[in-house]
Amino acid sequence: MSEDPKIPDDVWEQFARDSERDIRASAPKEPSARAREVTERLRRQEARGELPEGWRTGPARQEKKSRRGLWGVLGVAVAVVVAVVAVKPSLVPGDPFGGGTSSEAASSPLPQETAAPTVAPSAEPSQVPTLDDPFAGSPAKRWADGAAGIAVPKAKAVGGRSEATVEQALKLTRKLLVESNLDPATLRGARPEAALDVLDPLQKDVRGLLEAGLRKPDDKHDPLWMFSRFDPKEVRPVGDVVKTRGRMTFKAGEHSSVAVHADYTFVYPVVQTNGSPEVTRAIIRRVLDVELPDPAKYQVTPGKLSVVHWDQDINNSACEVYDGYLHPSFSSAEPSGPDPTGPTSDPYDRSKPLDATRDKSCGTVSRL
């Protein structure tokens, strides 16, 4: 038996929106006073035998109402078929939709991500990003802008830690993500002081590694493992919007702590500083696990996060260049770094985990 096709979140969202619109459009409307007056006058005329043969308002209204109810049921069935076909067009011969897309769906923002997606975002119409529309042709166009895409879940007490402590851990994690990946100064290559300040200075291995990477980066001390940084002499951001999508969860940690898990993708549109109008995008997915331990039981700095695990997937940046900066490639510029030898991947696919088993060689992206 073949597995049912999985439907992307954006397709389901459009189906729900269209269904709601059809239901609103087909809902019975209260007749106006003028309409009620006319109907009553016709009824009296019919009782006196003054209407022409075949004029019957009652049955006509009954038929219309039944058809409307039937359309409500059929409309849902058809919409489900459309959603499936949108995922797998080979189920239907020809091109029943004419290759068009809904402008409403293309422009409306996606709801917050609350669970791991099951498939990658559906393909977007082929469009070249421009200075006026740097996210053209990208699924990220419907993502949230910057920090608005980093939503903090509602806190509750876990593992003996209070609701206030959980809320503190969530807010600190959000601050770390914002200062590391969205702060304009950090993106321009400045030292990310605010992000470093969130981390526990007593965690010497993590703090020391990042400090060394910021002073003298190399393949074993790379600040890009935590921070998104561009060389201001090479590229500059297009506008002030970075698109963001992901989710944050929490649970009781192993060390009388609040453990927070964050999984976010950031999309950065940039241009070269040489005056070229060509826009490209760098796409980074970051997975971060941090804890806020109990200072009464462990030797930690109160109000500071300890990093348990981090991982990242950096897309459209030069391979094996360890100078502490991202180096996006442009079609109009000479490539830097060695040619990619790894597999092709979709940087917008958030359905696959970032784990130690994946191929971490330098590969190519299927889209930007």
Side-chain angles (χ1 to χ4, degrees):
M1 180 181 295
S2 63
E3 186 180 353
D4 291 338
K6 296 179 179 178
I7 302 173
D9 296 340
D10 54 348
V11 176
W12 272 117
E13 181 196 14
Q14 179 60 25
F15 152 58
R17 185 185 297 107
D18 292 343
S19 299
E20 182 180 354
R21 185 179 61 246
D22 292 339
I23 292 171
R24 287 200 306 266
S26 61
K29 295 180 175 58
E30 180 71 19
S32 65
R34 173 61 178 167
R36 292 194 298 269
E37 178 183 349
V38 171
T39 300
E40 178 60 23
R41 177 165 51 81
L42 291 174
R43 186 189 63 76
R44 291 196 299 268
Q45 286 180 308
E46 181 181 21
R48 296 194 300 268
E50 298 175 0
L51 290 177
E53 188 69 19
W55 182 281
R56 296 292 185 268
T57 59
R61 287 198 302 274
Q62 177 78 21
E63 181 184 3
K64 186 175 181 180
K65 192 172 185 179
S66 298
R67 290 173 61 188
R68 182 180 300 127
L70 181 62
W71 171 248
V73 175
L74 290 179
V76 172
V78 170
V80 171
V81 172
V82 170
V84 173
V85 171
V87 175
K88 195 169 184 180
S90 59
L91 296 177
V92 175
D95 182 8
F97 309 112
T101 59
S102 168
S103 58
E104 181 182 2
S107 60
S108 59
L110 288 176
Q112 289 283 352
E113 183 178 285
T114 56
T118 55
V119 293
S122 55
E124 297 292 316
S126 179
Q127 293 179 300
V128 176
T130 65
L131 295 172
D132 292 330
D133 192 359
F135 298 100
S138 166
K141 188 167 185 176
R142 299 181 61 202
W143 294 6
D145 293 353
I150 305 179
V152 175
K154 181 176 177 55
K156 65 178 181 180
V158 291
R161 306 310 304 276
S162 67
E163 179 181 319
T165 301
V166 172
E167 184 176 12
Q168 181 186 27
L170 293 171
K171 288 183 176 180
L172 286 171
T173 304
R174 184 178 189 271
K175 182 178 181 181
L176 177 60
L177 290 167
V178 170
E179 300 295 343
S180 299
N181 301 282
L182 299 173
D183 177 69
T186 300
L187 297 183
R188 292 194 302 268
R191 180 179 168 84
E193 291 288 0
L196 290 168
D197 187 58
V198 176
L199 303 177
D200 192 340
L202 297 179
Q203 193 180 19
K204 300 294 186 181
D205 52 349
V206 171
R207 187 69 177 263
L209 187 152
L210 293 173
E211 294 278 5
L214 290 167
R215 287 194 308 268
K216 190 177 180 181
D218 57 35
D219 60 336
K220 294 181 175 58
H221 305 83
D222 193 345
L224 297 180
W225 292 341
M226 178 70 75
F227 311 118
S228 297
R229 309 170 76 235
F230 296 90
D231 186 345
K233 298 188 295 294
E234 180 182 315
V235 300
R236 62 176 177 81
V238 178
D240 56 1
V241 173
V242 174
K243 289 292 185 175
T244 308
R245 185 158 182 80
R247 63 193 181 279
M248 189 186 304
T249 58
F250 66 91
K251 64 180 182 179
E254 297 179 357
H255 309 100
S256 298
S257 66
V258 180
V260 182
H261 176 78
D263 182 342
Y264 288 89
T265 300
F266 304 91
V267 183
Y268 305 93
V270 294
V271 293
Q272 300 173 87
T273 55
N274 62 8
S276 170
E278 180 188 356
V279 177
T280 192
R281 293 182 284 253
I283 304 165
I284 304 178
R285 181 181 173 190
R286 297 194 184 277
V287 173
L288 182 66
D289 289 288
V290 295
E291 289 186 355
L292 187 64
D294 186 350
K297 297 182 179 180
Y298 292 90
Q299 188 175 358
V300 294
T301 304
K304 302 294 183 180
L305 292 178
S306 297
V307 178
V308 177
H309 168 82
W310 65 36
D311 202 353
Q312 61 283 322
D313 187 21
I314 299 175
N315 297 274
N316 192 24
S317 184
C319 299
E320 299 180 23
V321 177
Y322 303 105
D323 61 357
Y325 298 115
L326 296 162
H327 295 280
S329 62
F330 295 81
S331 60
S332 60
E334 290 292 330
S336 59
D339 293 333
T341 58
T344 299
S345 61
D346 182 355
Y348 293 101
D349 187 356
R350 295 183 41 76
S351 66
K352 299 175 182 178
L354 298 187
D355 54 38
T357 63
R358 81 183 193 278
D359 189 334
K360 295 189 178 183
S361 60
C362 188
T364 57
V365 295
S366 60
R367 55 177 170 172
L368 286 177

